[in-house]
Amino acid sequence: MKTILVANQKGGCGKTITAISLASALSQKGYQVALADADNQKSARQWLQQRPDTATKIESLDWRHDKSIGDVPKHIEYLIIDAPGALSSDKAQTLIAEAHTIITPLQPSFFDIDSTRRFLKHLQDLKRIKKGKVDILLLANRVKPNGTSAKDIQDFFQKIEHEPVAWISERTAYGQLAMQGLSVFDKPQKAYLSIQKQWQPVLNMIIDDPNNWF
């Protein structure tokens, strides 16, 4: 089983949308997927409760309490964890101990950039990160290609010498579909293909599949 932790201490950066998008993408490809909600806001669990029976199956795991962390059915191939916004040292250590990859989404705003800088510094102090046992992938999220803030976020990536694995455009479809328990990967129509393609670099990093998906 491979475990992907979606985490950033900045609220509103798109953690849950990232988590549900990855979970549904992997599920659409036929993998056995579970989505663990470790956030007290329960957004991921609420999304799964809205998910229609006709959609591909994603198992729901409640990891909001420390005692439940680590409990995963044996048949699961990919586990996506939606981390809480405020990761205490103990909670961070516990969740990172489960993860092979950490995906950190951030929006092109001063507050996201500043918060993410501090979050990444905190991660570097954790033992498992220091030993290089966990990959850290940055995801530029809700980007407006022609917006002035796009340059700010690019400057940030260059400064920390850590380029994002993908640039995800701001689209109303994410929020509209989430209200129905769906994601952009649940929609086969051509109009969603360009949105799905933006996630291809992320998927390439977390799965062993040489083929383009979209």
Side-chain angles (χ1 to χ4, degrees):
M1 181 185 74
K2 189 164 186 179
T3 302
I4 296 96
L5 175 65
V6 182
N8 193 338
Q9 66 184 11
K10 174 67 173 66
C13 64
K15 281 193 305 89
T16 300
I17 289 293
T18 299
I20 66 177
S21 296
L22 293 173
S24 57
L26 291 164
S27 180
Q28 281 289 344
K29 274 305 236 186
Y31 293 108
Q32 299 293 312
V33 181
L35 177 56
D37 195 339
D39 193 336
N40 286 330
Q41 293 187 18
K42 302 187 294 185
S43 298
R45 282 177 60 79
Q46 290 172 351
W47 176 78
L48 283 169
Q49 289 170 359
Q50 297 296 321
R51 193 161 176 79
D53 294 337
T54 53
T56 55
K57 184 179 179 181
I58 300 170
E59 296 209 27
S60 177
L61 303 178
D62 187 351
W63 278 20
R64 288 173 296 151
H65 308 291
D66 291 349
K67 290 183 179 179
S68 61
I69 294 176
D71 291 340
V72 186
K74 290 183 179 180
H75 66 276
I76 294 300
E77 297 173 279
Y78 284 92
L79 171 65
I80 311 297
I81 307 171
D82 186 14
L87 272 176
S88 65
S89 294
D90 290 344
K91 187 89 168 184
Q93 290 276 15
T94 303
L95 291 173
I96 289 170
E98 299 289 332
H100 298 94
T101 301
I102 297 173
I103 295 180
T104 298
L106 68 153
Q107 295 186 67
S109 75
F110 167 79
F111 298 106
D112 275 63
I113 290 170
D114 182 62
S115 179
T116 301
R117 180 185 292 110
R118 287 183 277 114
F119 177 68
L120 293 174
K121 184 178 180 180
H122 171 67
L123 287 183
Q124 295 302 327
D125 292 333
L126 300 178
K127 185 184 296 185
R128 198 156 184 262
I129 303 293
K130 284 182 177 179
K131 291 183 176 180
K133 293 183 177 181
V134 183
D135 294 324
I136 300 176
L137 307 178
L138 299 184
L139 185 70
N141 199 29
R142 296 178 183 170
V143 176
K144 296 179 180 179
N146 297 322
T148 55
S149 56
K151 183 180 183 302
D152 294 335
I153 198 171
Q154 180 63 71
D155 290 344
F156 166 68
F157 290 131
Q158 291 178 351
K159 186 174 182 179
I160 65 172
E161 297 182 344
H162 194 151
E163 287 294 314
V165 66
W167 293 75
I168 307 300
S169 299
E170 183 178 35
R171 299 291 183 96
T172 58
Y174 288 107
Q176 292 171 347
L177 290 170
M179 294 176 65
Q180 306 169 47
L182 299 172
S183 85
V184 294
F185 294 101
D186 294 303
K187 292 293 184 179
Q189 292 88 346
K190 188 177 180 180
Y192 293 94
L193 186 60
S194 62
I195 303 178
Q196 295 169 2
K197 283 181 176 179
Q198 292 187 334
W199 293 86
Q200 182 70 60
V202 188
L203 296 166
N204 287 346
M205 295 294 291
I206 63 176
I207 65 169
D208 297 320
D209 187 338
N211 301 310
N212 285 332
W213 290 26
F214 314 108

